[in-house]
């Protein structure tokens, strides 16, 4: 906003956007005038729509408040089920395991981290986490959460019942776009914006997990930083010259789950136009897989060792011809850089 809200208004949520008078209205009834308004309302854990999801002991995992709630529950309970084998779900599962809980992870896809890893990488991660004490069940989904007041069991789609004291829902996000919808801004899954992060109202912008560029929404921090940089330049742009624009780029994902480094960038699976180059060291538990199209790197998955990840991401983004060092690709820049 063009004007800054007084510090005493922290915690007083904005509940309405009055576009006609260019004001936002807070829960306490305060009206704040803006010249330009930026929405950065983020997201929340997606609801699964399961029977019993409102029972005590069913917790989303998205923010600091959720984390504190999980820590408190883990002090007095011993069994947990985590729904979702993505990054947040696995982080929650590992954290609860380290606090002494017996944890089962449910993931409907055939392998863990299916958006970041290929099938082999996903199974390697599953084996490593199983060795650490997690119970992983892939290719399965919950049908209902059971209990009278507090959750006591999870019913699976194969009719299995898992007894539990805690259910953590970490199966995707829902953009917080309700404020924008109420103000009649154009929304789809999230708040629609153009390349300048501008909504259907030229005086209102949105960025981060609450916005949608074309058909793409965002659940990682790096696109949010990139959008913030573009929007800052847009808001400070002089009237002459071309406006800065946000263009989604192939964003690498670098994770460390239970001490296991993982890197993923670009495409993880082959199609009719690509081929795969795979290298694996079983003894060192290292694995890498490259997707190649027309002599150029289109995707990379690294498991166990990720130091070369940024170099592979650069090759993907720049679409370099890697034909001259294809046979050495798995060994990184030191073996390929002179010929890159």
């Amino acid at each position: 906003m063009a004007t800054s809200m007084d510090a005493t208004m922290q915690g007083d949520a904005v509940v309405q956007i009055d576009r006609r008078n260019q004001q936002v209205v807070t829960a306490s009834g305060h009206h704040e005038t803006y010249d330009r308004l930026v929405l950065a309302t983020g997201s929340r854990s997606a609801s699964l729509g399961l029977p019993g999801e409102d029972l005590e002991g069913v917790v989303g995992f998205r923010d600091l408040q959720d984390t504190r709630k999980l820590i408190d529950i883990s002090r007095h309970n011993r069994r947990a089920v985590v729904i979702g084998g993505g990054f947040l779900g696995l982080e929650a599962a590992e954290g609860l395991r380290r606090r002494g809980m017996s944890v089962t992870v449910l993931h409907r896809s055939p392998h863990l981290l299916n958006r970041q890893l290929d099938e082999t990488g996903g199974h390697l991660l599953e084996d490593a986490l199983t060795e650490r004490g997690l119970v992983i069940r892939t290719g399965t989904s919950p049908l209902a959460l059971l209990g009278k007041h507090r959750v006591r069991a999870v019913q699976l789609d194969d009719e299995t019942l898992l007894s539990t004291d805690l259910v953590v829902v970490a199966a995707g996000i829902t953009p917080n776009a309700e404020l924008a919808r109420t103000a009649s801004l154009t929304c789809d899954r999230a708040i629609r914006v153009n390349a300048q992060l501008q909504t259907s109202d030229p005086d209102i912008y949105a960025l981060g997990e609450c916005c949608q560029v074309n058909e793409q929404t965002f659940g990682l921090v790096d696109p949010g930083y990139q959008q913030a940089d573009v929007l800052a330049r847009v808001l400070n742009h002089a009237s002459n010259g071309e406006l800065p624009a946000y263009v989604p780029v192939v964003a690498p994902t670098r994770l460390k789950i239970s001490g296991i480094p993982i890197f993923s960038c670009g495409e993880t699976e082959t199609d009719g136009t690509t081929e795969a180059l795979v290298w694996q060291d079983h003894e060192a538990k290292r694995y890498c897989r490259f997707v190649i199209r027309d002599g150029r790197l289109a995707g990379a998955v690294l498991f166990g060792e990720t130091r070369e990840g940024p170099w592979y991401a650069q090759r993907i983004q720049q679409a370099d011809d890697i034909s001259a060092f294809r046979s050495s690709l798995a060994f990184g820049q030191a073996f390929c850089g002179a010929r890159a």
Side-chain angles (χ1 to χ4, degrees):
M1 285 183 287
T3 55
S4 59
M5 302 179 78
D6 190 275
T8 59
M9 295 177 60
Q10 293 180 8
D12 189 9
V14 172
V15 296
Q16 181 186 349
I17 302 172
D18 180 353
R19 291 168 54 193
R20 174 174 294 181
N21 296 308
Q22 290 193 285
Q23 293 182 335
V24 293
V25 184
T26 71
S28 68
H30 178 80
H31 290 243
E32 186 78 15
T33 301
Y34 65 85
D35 296 319
R36 288 182 288 184
L37 177 67
V38 177
L39 301 178
T41 49
S43 67
R44 61 187 181 277
S45 295
S47 172
L48 301 176
L50 296 174
E53 207 168 336
D54 57 346
L55 289 169
E56 186 179 348
V58 180
V59 182
F61 183 52
R62 194 64 189 162
D63 55 28
L64 183 59
Q65 184 177 352
D66 294 334
T67 302
R68 287 171 174 161
K69 186 181 296 185
L70 293 178
I71 291 173
D72 183 62
I73 293 174
S74 71
R75 292 191 180 106
H76 311 289
N77 297 279
R78 288 292 172 262
R79 301 167 300 177
V81 171
V82 176
I83 301 174
F87 176 56
L88 280 179
L90 296 179
E91 283 288 302
E94 177 62 10
L96 293 171
R97 183 195 68 80
R98 290 186 177 185
R99 298 188 68 83
M101 298 194 79
S102 173
V103 184
T104 298
V105 177
L106 306 178
H107 191 52
R108 65 181 179 182
S109 296
H111 66 268
L112 299 175
L113 287 182
N114 53 289
R115 291 189 177 183
Q116 290 84 23
L117 295 179
D118 66 329
E119 184 176 359
T120 300
H123 289 316
L124 286 171
L125 178 59
E126 180 177 341
D127 292 343
L129 294 178
T130 299
E131 288 178 6
R132 283 160 168 74
L134 293 177
V135 177
I136 309 292
R137 298 184 63 133
T138 56
T140 187
S141 299
L143 288 183
L145 309 181
L146 308 178
K148 188 173 183 181
H149 300 292
R150 183 176 186 86
V151 66
R152 294 301 180 192
V154 179
Q155 180 182 352
L156 305 183
D157 53 6
D158 62 1
E159 299 185 0
T160 299
L161 289 180
L162 297 178
S163 296
T164 190
D165 307 304
L166 166 68
V167 172
V168 181
V169 179
I173 62 173
T174 298
N176 292 326
E178 289 75 16
L179 190 64
R181 288 193 176 95
T182 302
S184 299
L185 297 175
T186 300
C187 298
D188 187 6
R189 287 172 294 161
I191 307 167
R192 281 197 171 274
V193 296
N194 62 16
Q196 283 70 47
L197 288 312
Q198 189 177 49
T199 70
S200 53
D201 184 320
D203 295 317
I204 301 178
Y205 301 78
L207 78 164
E209 295 177 353
C210 69
C211 82
Q212 178 175 334
V213 179
N214 297 321
E215 301 307 312
Q216 187 172 353
T217 55
F218 308 91
L220 298 174
V221 67
D222 281 348
Y225 288 145
Q226 294 160 10
Q227 291 168 6
D229 176 71
V230 169
L231 184 52
R233 289 186 283 124
V234 167
L235 295 176
N236 286 285
H237 191 264
S239 59
N240 58 331
E242 186 176 352
L243 278 169
Y246 171 71
V247 179
V249 297
V250 177
T253 301
R254 194 167 186 170
L255 313 171
K256 184 170 284 190
I257 298 174
S258 188
I260 305 165
I262 294 168
F263 176 90
S264 175
C265 186
E267 302 174 33
T268 60
E269 300 293 344
T270 56
D271 57 26
T273 67
T274 55
E275 55 184 328
L277 180 63
V278 177
W279 180 86
Q280 188 168 1
D281 184 335
H282 294 273
E283 184 175 344
K285 296 184 178 179
R286 291 175 55 186
Y287 168 79
C288 57
R289 184 175 193 265
F290 305 102
V291 176
I292 299 170
R293 177 183 290 108
D294 298 329
R296 288 168 169 76
L297 192 59
V301 170
L302 309 178
F303 180 93
E305 175 55 71
T306 62
R307 284 179 293 182
E308 296 287 347
W311 185 76
Y312 293 125
Q314 191 176 37
R315 303 284 71 73
I316 294 169
Q317 291 164 359
Q318 295 183 4
D320 300 330
D321 188 335
I322 63 167
S323 302
F325 51 88
R326 173 188 166 120
S327 60
S328 304
L329 189 62
F331 306 106
Q333 183 177 9
F335 291 85
C336 308
R339 291 170 284 173

